[in-house]
Each structure stands twice: as structure tokens, then as C-alpha cells.
């Protein structure tokens, strides 16, 4: 978690987008999912005589926006603003912490069978806001609702069934092992038989009554742990509404996706927290033809990309660079392994020069001056051209009385003076990127510049969605710049498997890769081997993972520790003035 303070004189790009489902098959681009699971330091409620008599630490009140047209169905609502509100009403069996690992919430404990195919979950002694006890029937009903929803259905790829073993125990059956299954079980749990469209009751600390959230004084984890009592909801039907309400102090907290193509800017005094998510930006390769059919060229390209510069200059730290296909803050990220694939243009150029598909002429400045040396040559040529133009203006101005000396009246002279030889290019690459998002296009262009420094000639094509998908499916590209929302367990199968929905580059049937994927699913400790193999083969070039943003009125909040998809993680640390 990072927190930044921004002065009112600075403009921020405040984005209010509707959340789209992760892993959409239409294009390798998507937005993050919410996580439902208010967490406190202890997994079970702790009650003693001191707590029973303790008054709430704070009676703070703050306000949040919501969009009534999207409703309050926790399984189908795509408004990011409404989902932020619902994170205080509902909880999941688990929630994600800041390392992208699952922590139990409504799950008290669980066990896994020896073959990894059965999870047996024991439930907490929790209750809903109306006092009804949480039962296994509530959980299986919620599983069925999630399985039928567009937001969560893809999480059930490996789930073959589930059932209530008894009133306090649920069994989940898998078609293949998944050591990180709990990460997928952070969607909201509602009462058995309740209509999701009717704003069903949850087990979270707050209850919604119209435009007000009130702290449930009988919350099963202890209302005394929450240091604010009321959240007022302010209706906002557009980005401009939310912007105006925030600037006019009608709204104190806004949770949004800064990378959305729908944006509104504002100038006001605020505080800002980053909230990590699972949206990865990456470069994919056309492995079936051209330069990128070579593994050595692909791995050189990986080392030629300066991810930190892209994250800082394009995304202004609303993103975290990564050298592996996993967030750098994840417990699965191995820093020692990542160093092998970090930006190193010198090594990349050396590696390219050893490849027979790659060529630079003997007079190319990069051969002697290293990566980026062509920039100096270009600058010198531009200066020489400028000097020559100045000399012509001063010394050889055409005689106004001599039409033969005036290029504008001498067709032959015009053709001779303006004829330019067609420039010879080497190591040509076509990089396609989906248009519609200025930051994504800017990131692709910056990556192209970095590849130019090591001797590639890169043509960037910004394409509409239909054009982009057509180019991907017909192979009319060498590289593509895209973003994809990984599932909460950070599963790479859609990108890596030969049959994967997002395997556009032609990653082949690979028995070694298949083994690495299976072993990582079976035991999270094996992700090291998977990531190493993927990067050594040059199957993907990860760039960065995006962050969501939490904007707050200055001085209103302290103790916010947003986790992936959950802005109120560890709610007991949050204070409201």
C-alpha cells in the first residue's frame, strides 16, 4: 500500500468507470473484480468484559457516491462505486491481503484431501445483519449465484461441485488441484433463498437503509472494532456528478480505476492511496512467423523494455512494474529470479547481435556506441540540417529577379531539391495496440522507442477492437500490447495453454509448460519453476500491474490499508474525523 498527498494546485485524472468482468474472451483486456471480506486482526470475534462495556472510539461519518441505475445485486452490479459500498455490507469465505494471498473471513478453517481435489470448509459462528446464523446452505446458495454470474463464473473452471456436509461445513470438489482455490472464494455470501436483486442482507459491519449505511451494533466480529458509525450515500449518475460532489465536499471517498478510458479531471485538495489489483499489462509475441519466432529474440526484447520508466512516465505510479507475470508485491514474486529479466539494454543488444535473424549495418552507431546511440546521430543530423538552412538563408538567397533561381518556379529544380531516397530499415516489427485508452497507446509507443534503441524498426498501429482482434487472429503483427485481468489466484492458463482463450501468439503444446502449470496449481511453491520457464522461453513480456485509486478528502481518514479489490481491508485501523 502506498499513500500520496497531492496539493490542490495539481490536477488528477479521476476516473469513474463501470467494472467489467475479468478475463473476457472478446479481447485480452479487462478490469479488476471486487473482493468482499472486511478483515480484522483476529479471525474470530474476541469478546471480553472490557470490550462489552467499551464505547465506540469514534462516531465519525463520511460520504461515498453511488449510482442507483446499476442496482445493488452483489453478483451482477458493474458499478465500481456501488461495489465499494457493498464491500462494507458483505463478506466472503476469504479475502485477499496485500500480498494477494487468501485470509479466512467467514471460513473458520479448512482442510484439503490428499489428492488436492476436495476442500472441506468449516464456517465461523457468524450471523447476518438480521441475526440469522450463517449456515452451509447460505454458502452453497451463494456459490450457485456466483457460478451463474458473469462477474464470477470463470472462477468455477476447476470446481466440479459443492455441497453442505452439515449446517456448519461445506465441501467443494475440484476437477484438478488448485492450491490457491481460497483466493477465488472472496465473493459475497448472502442468505439462502434471498433474491440478489433485493439488496440481500450480509454479514458485513454495515447495513444499508436507503441512502445511509449504519454500523450493525450486533456485528458478529464486534462493532466496537469499527471506529466510524455512519456512511451517507450521495447519488451520482455520471463521472461529472462524482467529480462535482467530491470538489464540493458532498463526497469524502471515491474508489475508482485510473486506467479507465472514461475520465473526469478535478482540481481540489485530497489524499490518495493506491489499491493493487490483478490487471496485467504485457507484450505478446507472434511466435509463428517473423523475428519473434526466435526464442532468443523474444528474450532479448524482454530485457530491452524499461518497465519502470513506462510505469512512472505514463501511469504516474498508478501501476507497479514487474519482470514476472505476477504482481511484484505478491508472495509468489521472487526478486532474485526477476533480476534475470529486468531492463538491461546492453545485454539485450549483445544477445540480438548473436542471432542470425537480426542485422545491423557496419556503420550503425549502436555497434560502437551501444543502445540508444542512434539518438545522438539523429540529433547531430538535425543540427547539421538546421545549420545548412541558416547558411542558405544568409548566403544564397535566390535572386527575386531570376526565376530560374527560384525553386517555386523551376519544376526541375524542385524535383531535384526535394527528392529523398527511401530509408532502408532493419529488424522491422509491427506492434499493435488496442485504441481507446490514451495511456495504453502511450505505453506501447514508449516500448517501441525502447526497442528502437537496440536496433529494431517498430511500427506502432493503434487499432479499434474489431481491427485489433482481426490482426490477432490473422497473425498480422509481430508484437501486441494488451492488458488482461487475471483471476484472484493469478492463474496464467488462459494466456499460456495452447487452448487458452487469450493465447493469441501461438504458444504451442508444450509438455514441459503443461507440467509446470499443473505443479504450480498443485503447490504454490512451484510457481518459481513456472515463471522461470515462461520467461526463459520468451512466452510473455510482462510490463506492469495496474492499481486502483482511493481518493479521500484531506484530513478525514487515517489508517486506510487497501488490499486487492478491498478498500476497507483491516477495517479496525480506519479512523474518520
Amino acid at each position: 500500500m502506498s499513500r500520496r498527498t497531492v496539493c490542490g494546485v495539481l490536477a488528477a485524472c479521476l476516473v469513474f468507470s463501470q467494472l467489467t468482468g475479468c478475463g473476457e474472451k472478446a479481447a485480452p483486456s479487462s478490469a479488476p473484480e471486487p473482493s468482499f471480506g472486511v478483515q480484522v486482526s483476529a479471525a474470530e470475534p474476541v469478546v471480553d468484559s472490557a470490550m462489552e462495556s467499551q464505547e465506540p472510539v469514534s462516531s465519525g461519518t463520511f460520504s461515498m457516491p453511488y449510482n442507483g441505475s446499476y442496482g445493488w445485486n452483489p453478483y451482477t452490479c458493474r458499478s465500481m462505486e456501488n461495489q465499494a459500498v457493498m464491500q462494507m455490507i458483505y463478506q466472503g469465505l476469504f479475502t485477499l491481503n496485500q500480498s494477494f494471498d487468501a485470509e479466512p473471513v467467514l471460513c473458520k478453517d479448512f482442510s484439503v484431501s490428499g489428492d488436492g481435489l476436495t476442500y472441506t470448509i468449516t464456517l465461523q459462528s457468524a450471523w447476518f445483519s438480521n441475526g440469522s446464523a450463517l449456515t452451509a446452505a447460505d454458502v452453497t446458495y451463494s456459490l450457485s449465484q456466483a457460478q451463474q454470474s458473469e462477474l464470477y463464473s470463470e472462477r468455477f473452471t476447476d470446481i466440479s461441485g459443492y455441497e453442505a456436509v452439515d449446517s456448519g461445513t461445506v465441501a467443494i470438489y475440484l476437477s484438478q488441484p488448485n492450491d490457491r482455490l481460497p483466493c477465488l472464494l472472496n465473493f459475497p455470501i448472502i442468505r439462502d433463498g434471498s433474491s440478489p436483486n433485493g439488496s440481500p442482507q450480509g454479514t458485513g459491519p454495515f447495513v444499508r437503509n436507503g441512502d445511509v449505511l449504519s454500523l450493525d451494533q450486533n456485528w458478529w466480529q464486534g462493532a466496537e472494532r469499527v471506529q466510524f458509525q455512519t456512511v451517507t450515500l450521495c447519488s451520482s449518475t455520471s463521472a461529472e456528478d462524482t467529480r462535482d460532489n467530491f470538489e464540493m465536499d458532498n463526497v469524502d471517498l471515491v474508489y475508482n480505476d485510473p486506467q479507465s478510458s472514461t475520465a473526469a479531471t478535478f482540481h481540489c485538495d485530497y489524499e490518495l492511496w493506491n489499491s493493487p489489483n490483478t490487471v496485467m499489462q504485457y507484450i505478446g509475441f507472434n511466435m509463428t512467423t517473423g523475428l519473434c519466432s526466435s526464442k532468443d529474440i523474444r528474450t532479448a526484447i524482454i530485457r530491452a523494455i524499461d518497465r519502470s520508466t513506462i510505469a512512472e512516465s505514463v501511469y504516474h505510479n498508478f501501476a507497479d512494474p514487474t519482470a514476472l507475470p505476477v504482481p511484484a508485491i505478491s508472495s509468489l514474486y521472487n526478486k532474485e529470479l526477476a533480476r534475470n529479466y529486468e531492463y538491461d539494454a546492453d545485454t539485450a543488444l549483445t544477445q540480438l547481435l548473436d542471432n542470425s535473424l537480426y542485422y545491423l549495418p557496419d556503420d550503425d552507431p549502436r555497434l560502437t556506441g551501444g543502445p540508444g546511440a542512434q539518438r545522438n546521430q539523429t540529433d547531430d543530423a538535425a543540427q547539421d540540417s538546421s545549420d545548412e538552412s541558416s547558411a542558405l538563408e544568409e548566403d544564397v538567397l535566390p535572386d527575386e529577379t531570376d526565376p530560374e533561381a527560384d525553386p517555386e518556379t523551376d519544376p526541375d529544380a524542385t524535383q531535384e531539391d526535394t527528392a529523398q531516397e527511401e530509408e532502408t530499415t532493419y529488424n522491422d516489427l509491427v506492434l499493435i495496440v488496442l485504441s481507446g485508452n490514451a495511456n495504453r497507446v502511450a505505453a506501447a509507443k514508449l516500448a517501441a522507442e525502447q526497442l528502437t534503441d537496440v536496433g529494431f524498426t517498430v511500427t506502432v498501429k493503434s487499432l479499434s477492437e474489431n481491427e485489433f482482434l482481426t490482426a490477432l487472429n490473422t497473425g498480422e503483427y509481430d508484437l501486441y500490447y494488451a492488458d488482461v485481468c487475471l483471476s484472484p489466484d493469478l492463474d496464467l492458463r488462459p494466456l499460456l495453454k495452447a487452448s487458452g482463450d487469450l493465447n493469441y501468439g501461438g504458444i504451442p503444446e508444450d509438455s514441459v509448460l503443461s507440467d509446470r502449470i499443473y505443479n504450480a496449481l498443485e503447490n504454490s511453491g512451484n510457481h518459481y519453476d513456472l515463471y522461470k520457464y515462461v520467461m526463459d522461453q520468451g512466452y510473455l513480456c510482462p510490463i506492469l500491474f495496474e492499481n486502483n485509486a482511493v481518493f479521500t478528502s484531506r484530513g478525514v481518514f487515517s489508517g486506510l490499508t487497501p488490499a486487492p479489490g478491498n478498500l476497507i481491508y483491516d477495517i479496525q485501523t480506519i479512523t474518520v474525523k
Side-chain angles (χ1 to χ4, degrees):
M1 182 276 294
S2 63
R3 173 181 174 180
R4 287 179 282 152
T5 300
V6 184
C7 294
V9 296
L10 299 178
C13 181
L14 181 59
V15 181
F16 310 95
S17 66
Q18 305 314 319
L19 191 66
T20 60
C22 269
E24 298 216 357
K25 299 184 176 102
S29 173
S30 184
E33 296 172 347
S35 175
F36 292 85
V38 174
Q39 182 63 299
V40 294
S41 297
E44 298 184 44
V46 178
V47 179
D48 58 26
S49 57
M51 279 190 172
E52 287 178 339
S53 60
Q54 179 180 348
E55 294 296 323
V57 175
S58 168
S59 59
T61 297
F62 67 94
S63 58
M64 297 174 65
Y66 80 99
N67 191 327
S69 64
Y70 284 85
W72 295 100
N73 186 323
Y75 301 109
T76 62
C77 179
R78 291 184 178 274
S79 164
M80 201 166 181
E81 296 171 342
N82 292 18
Q83 287 178 346
V85 174
M86 288 189 283
Q87 288 173 15
M88 290 185 280
I89 301 173
Y90 302 104
Q91 295 176 299
L93 291 171
F94 298 86
T95 194
L96 295 183
N97 63 21
Q98 292 169 318
S99 297
F100 290 86
D101 294 324
E103 292 183 353
V105 181
L106 295 179
C107 167
K108 182 178 182 179
D109 57 53
F110 67 93
S111 61
V112 186
S113 62
D115 60 7
L117 297 178
T118 302
Y119 276 72
T120 303
I121 297 173
T122 302
L123 302 179
Q124 292 276 13
S125 296
W127 50 87
F128 292 93
S129 57
N130 69 345
S132 300
L134 172 70
T135 67
D138 300 318
V139 174
T140 56
Y141 176 72
S142 300
L143 284 165
S144 69
Q145 294 297 310
Q147 188 172 14
Q148 297 171 47
S149 74
E150 292 184 4
L151 284 178
Y152 301 111
S153 59
E154 290 189 357
R155 301 187 184 194
F156 288 76
T157 300
D158 297 330
I159 296 178
S160 58
Y162 40 84
E163 65 175 343
V165 177
D166 57 41
S167 62
T169 309
V170 174
I172 299 178
Y173 306 107
L174 306 181
S175 57
Q176 68 176 41
N178 187 346
D179 188 37
R180 289 176 63 81
L181 175 71
C183 295
L184 301 175
L185 303 179
N186 62 345
F187 49 77
I189 302 299
I190 63 175
R191 289 186 62 201
D192 180 23
S194 57
S195 171
N197 292 319
S199 189
Q201 293 163 335
T203 61
F206 283 83
V207 180
R208 186 178 72 87
N209 292 298
D211 292 346
V212 176
L213 295 184
S214 300
L215 178 63
D216 180 1
Q217 298 299 325
N218 296 312
W219 184 41
W220 71 276
Q221 287 184 286
E224 65 279 350
R225 297 173 179 271
V226 183
Q227 302 185 61
F228 54 96
Q229 302 292 302
T230 305
V231 180
T232 58
L233 305 180
C234 181
S235 177
S236 293
T237 59
S238 66
E240 291 73 23
D241 276 353
T242 303
R243 177 199 61 202
D244 293 345
N245 283 322
F246 189 74
E247 291 184 344
M248 295 169 62
D249 294 328
N250 296 327
V251 166
D252 299 306
L253 183 150
V254 176
Y255 181 52
N256 63 60
D257 173 14
Q259 312 311 332
S260 170
S261 57
T262 304
T265 58
F266 66 92
H267 296 75
C268 64
D269 198 22
Y270 60 83
E271 293 177 299
L272 175 63
W273 283 263
N274 284 343
S275 177
N277 65 48
T278 62
V279 177
M280 179 178 71
Q281 294 190 11
Y282 68 101
I283 291 175
F285 303 98
N286 184 345
M287 296 176 52
T288 61
T289 187
L291 290 173
C292 294
S293 62
S294 166
K295 178 185 75 172
D296 291 338
I297 286 182
R298 296 195 302 270
T299 54
I301 287 174
I302 288 172
R303 294 183 174 91
I305 301 297
D306 186 350
R307 302 159 177 83
S308 294
T309 295
I310 293 175
E312 292 169 6
S313 63
V314 177
Y315 292 98
H316 309 292
N317 295 313
F318 276 117
D320 297 317
T322 183
L324 300 174
V326 65
I329 61 174
S330 167
S331 62
L332 301 177
Y333 193 89
N334 186 288
K335 293 182 180 179
E336 183 178 354
L337 175 64
R339 277 192 282 270
N340 297 323
Y341 316 106
E342 290 176 349
Y343 175 60
D344 187 346
D346 290 321
T347 298
L349 181 57
T350 299
Q351 184 176 335
L352 288 167
L353 290 170
D354 289 337
N355 191 286
S356 61
L357 295 177
Y358 177 90
Y359 170 78
L360 285 179
D362 292 340
D363 61 349
D364 191 287
R366 282 160 289 213
L367 292 175
T368 54
Q374 84 288 349
R375 296 175 185 264
N376 296 330
Q377 186 181 62
T378 302
D379 292 342
D380 292 342
Q383 184 61 48
D384 292 343
S385 176
S386 176
D387 293 342
E388 291 176 3
S389 298
S390 298
L392 285 172
E393 290 175 0
E394 294 174 2
D395 301 331
V396 290
L397 289 173
D399 186 348
E400 294 182 0
T401 63
D402 182 5
E404 292 185 358
D406 187 353
E408 293 184 1
T409 62
D410 186 345
D412 293 334
T414 302
Q415 292 173 5
E416 181 179 351
D417 293 342
T418 60
Q420 297 181 355
E421 295 183 4
E422 184 176 346
E423 183 180 358
T424 302
T425 62
Y426 306 95
N427 312 310
D428 296 307
L429 296 174
V430 173
L431 169 58
I432 62 174
V433 59
L434 185 65
S435 63
N437 185 296
N439 284 343
R440 183 170 55 223
V441 174
K445 290 181 177 179
L446 183 52
E449 291 178 12
Q450 295 168 355
L451 293 178
T452 301
D453 286 346
V454 295
F456 290 103
T457 303
V458 185
T459 300
V460 179
K461 294 184 177 180
S462 177
L463 306 177
S464 67
E465 182 173 352
N466 287 337
E467 293 171 333
F468 187 73
L469 288 171
T470 298
L472 287 176
N473 290 324
T474 58
E476 297 176 0
Y477 69 96
D478 297 291
L479 307 168
Y480 67 90
Y481 195 103
D483 53 89
V484 59
C485 182
L486 302 178
S487 54
D489 60 346
L490 303 173
D491 184 10
L492 295 173
R493 283 178 292 175
L495 292 164
L496 297 178
K497 288 181 69 70
S499 59
D501 294 327
L502 302 180
N503 178 7
Y504 292 100
I507 296 175
E509 287 285 356
D510 183 335
S511 59
V512 177
L513 176 61
S514 295
D515 288 343
R516 295 284 195 277
I517 291 173
Y518 181 85
N519 291 339
L521 286 169
E522 188 176 43
N523 186 329
S524 293
N526 293 324
H527 275 86
Y528 178 99
D529 295 331
L530 172 61
Y531 298 148
K532 184 178 188 305
Y533 187 76
V534 168
M535 300 305 295
D536 286 345
Q537 294 298 313
Y539 284 156
L540 289 176
C541 177
I543 303 296
L544 54 85
F545 276 83
E546 298 177 3
N547 289 322
N548 289 337
V550 182
F551 292 88
T552 66
S553 300
R554 179 173 301 282
V556 174
F557 294 88
S558 63
L560 282 173
T561 56
N566 188 355
L567 76 162
I568 53 171
Y569 176 81
D570 206 4
I571 194 172
Q572 67 184 14
T573 67
I574 301 173
T575 60
V576 179
K577 297 180 181 179

